Amino acid sequence: MTRSEAKVGIVGCIVFALAYPSAVASSLLIAPLMAFTALIMLPLWPHSWRDVRWPWASIPLALFLAWVGISFLWSPHDDPQQIPKTVLGIPLYILFAVRVGMLEGRWRSRVEAMLIFTVFALGLFLFAETLTGGSGTASFKTTVEGVNYARHSDLMIDVNRSLGHAAAPLVLLAGPAVFLAWYKGGPLIGIVLGLLTLVAAFSFETQVNAAAYVIAAIAAGLALRFPRPMLAVTFGGIAGAVVTMPLIVPGILNSLPPSVVESIPLSWAWRLEIWAFASELIYQAPWFGHGLDASRPLSATIEVAGRELEGLPLHPHNSALQIWLETGLVGALLLGGALVALGEQLSLNKFIGRIQCAAIVWVAVSYAVLLIFSYGAWQEWHQGAVALAASAVFFLRAKNSA
């Protein structure tokens, strides 16, 4: 065991241990934790990089990140802080996942144990909050944070939003953690982890977590039966969704009967109107987009069910639409190309086994659902959560893999 491996193992254990309180605190602390620890693990000597075999999928990804940074030049948003968060943050999250995921021996076992602990602890916390109606989080917000709410319903909206954010990393991590527990001979632990995540996903009025869990479970089940075809279909399908989203969304919205729109909850109707408003903005600058973070200043007031609401609250709540809106066709094609290339390389990798295929599909599908139906493309906290889940996926690799 080298000093470098010991350092990576210690850092990995610390990060997975701190991921639990970070997720409990709305998950926003995951990103700086991941970036800082990735810098600690960064190889400093040139010879450390000589034997690195860069996948060719990294080329379109690097071009996409470069284009994201360049697009700020014509953005109406005047705060450039998102550039380092995205352009530097994503490579650091990838570095963390690869360095920790390639551990072997005792340190790998220790990090695996810490991963199971984090998922178990987070699942139990969210289960307790489900049973008590979020009383722990509500007490923290009113007593420690000292926030005064005019109505109890306002408090519960904030509580459910916080707990829904905490459940998202749990959904991402649950698949690899369940497979890892099963792989290590603990099927009962895997079943408990899956059930705890199921309860959390259907709680806190965050329907996107439930959708991510159900769709990811179905896709992972298919991957167990058809491992390599599902890898290609998953990444190809996500790439296709990114490239075609502004073409299919308006058609879907226009085909919905008025009676359906009137019968759905206000939050869903608002989401549909946000997507329609974002689609209109996309067609105003389809080639290069409006620039990084342009979603923030481009908002306007729209009418939803007789109420005046914000047309673009921070982002379109659909990452594919946001990528088109801010980086245009160029950005969508570069990201789509990176996804297709990654899917091809994974499906052709003979060392990836059936269980690891299923774990990859779980993480990819659950993340895609979260991004397409709710979260913004540049929110770094869920990028860090994906890196944690990717680390767990690496642990499922075959013993003879390179």
Side-chain angles (χ1 to χ4, degrees):
M1 179 180 63
T2 64
R3 290 181 59 187
S4 175
E5 188 176 54
K7 179 179 71 173
V8 173
I10 293 171
V11 171
C13 288
I14 293 173
V15 169
F16 273 103
L18 293 179
Y20 165 61
S22 298
V24 168
S26 298
S27 302
L28 299 181
L29 297 177
I30 291 178
L33 173 66
M34 298 284 292
F36 175 72
T37 52
L39 286 172
I40 295 176
M41 295 186 294
L42 186 69
L44 299 178
W45 305 108
H47 65 80
S48 300
W49 299 92
R50 290 173 187 164
D51 297 330
V52 175
R53 293 180 294 175
W54 300 96
W56 74 273
S58 61
I59 297 175
L61 176 60
L63 292 174
F64 170 71
L65 293 177
W67 179 253
V68 168
I70 293 171
S71 70
F72 184 78
L73 295 175
W74 55 86
S75 173
H77 190 58
D78 58 1
D79 187 353
Q81 65 173 307
Q82 194 60 54
I83 297 176
K85 287 182 178 180
T86 299
V87 176
L88 298 179
I90 290 178
L92 288 175
Y93 306 144
I94 294 174
L95 173 65
F96 176 92
V98 173
R99 294 278 283 170
V100 173
M102 297 308 294
L103 284 170
E104 294 289 355
R106 289 181 297 172
W107 281 112
R108 172 177 168 175
S109 299
R110 291 164 180 167
V111 177
E112 288 174 345
M114 195 58 66
L115 161 68
I116 299 299
F117 159 77
T118 296
V119 175
F120 209 98
L122 183 56
L124 286 175
F125 167 77
L126 293 174
F127 182 72
E129 288 293 84
T130 300
L131 293 180
T132 61
S135 61
T137 303
S139 298
F140 183 86
K141 288 185 174 295
T142 54
T143 58
V144 179
E145 294 183 354
V147 180
N148 293 319
Y149 295 89
R151 296 172 298 181
H152 180 72
S153 59
D154 295 334
L155 168 62
M156 294 313 300
I157 290 174
D158 201 6
V159 167
N160 286 329
R161 182 187 299 113
S162 177
L163 292 173
H165 281 194
L170 178 62
V171 172
L172 290 167
L173 284 163
V178 168
F179 286 125
L180 184 62
W182 203 284
Y183 185 70
K184 293 291 184 178
L188 180 59
I189 296 177
I191 292 172
V192 172
L193 291 178
L195 291 176
L196 289 174
T197 306
L198 175 65
V199 173
F202 279 84
S203 302
F204 318 122
E205 300 181 5
T206 311
Q207 292 86 356
V208 67
N209 289 337
Y213 184 96
V214 172
I215 298 175
I218 294 173
L222 291 173
L224 287 173
R225 180 66 179 86
F226 311 101
R228 301 196 181 280
M230 274 302 296
L231 282 177
V233 168
T234 296
F235 285 90
I238 296 173
V242 170
V243 174
T244 63
M245 188 61 66
L247 304 177
I248 62 177
V249 165
I252 293 175
L253 297 181
N254 292 332
S255 65
L256 291 176
S259 58
V260 173
V261 177
E262 294 173 358
S263 63
I264 61 177
L266 176 62
S267 60
W268 296 7
W270 186 16
R271 185 67 49 86
L272 296 179
E273 291 298 330
I274 291 171
W275 291 356
F277 180 71
S279 298
E280 294 176 2
L281 292 174
I282 288 171
Y283 283 100
Q284 295 176 12
W287 301 106
F288 305 133
H290 293 273
L292 179 64
D293 262 356
S295 300
R296 294 176 179 268
L298 288 179
S299 186
T301 300
I302 60 175
E303 184 174 330
V304 182
R307 299 176 59 179
E308 290 189 349
L309 299 171
E310 193 172 0
L312 204 60
L314 297 182
H315 54 79
H317 293 270
N318 180 312
S319 289
L321 290 179
Q322 185 176 2
I323 289 166
W324 267 91
L325 175 62
E326 299 182 8
T327 67
L329 175 63
V330 175
L333 289 178
L334 288 173
L335 179 57
L339 290 169
V340 170
L342 179 59
E344 179 189 24
Q345 288 196 291
L346 290 173
S347 62
L348 294 178
N349 190 328
K350 63 181 180 180
F351 293 112
I352 296 179
R354 188 180 301 271
I355 293 178
Q356 193 176 24
C357 282
I360 293 171
V361 168
W362 175 286
V363 175
V365 170
S366 59
Y367 187 42
V369 172
L370 292 173
L371 288 185
I372 289 176
F373 291 105
S374 185
Y375 296 114
W378 320 127
Q379 289 180 286
E380 55 273 6
W381 65 266
H382 57 61
Q383 295 168 0
V386 170
L388 288 174
S391 304
V393 170
F394 274 106
F395 294 147
L396 294 168
R397 66 187 183 275
K399 293 181 179 179
N400 59 343
S401 62

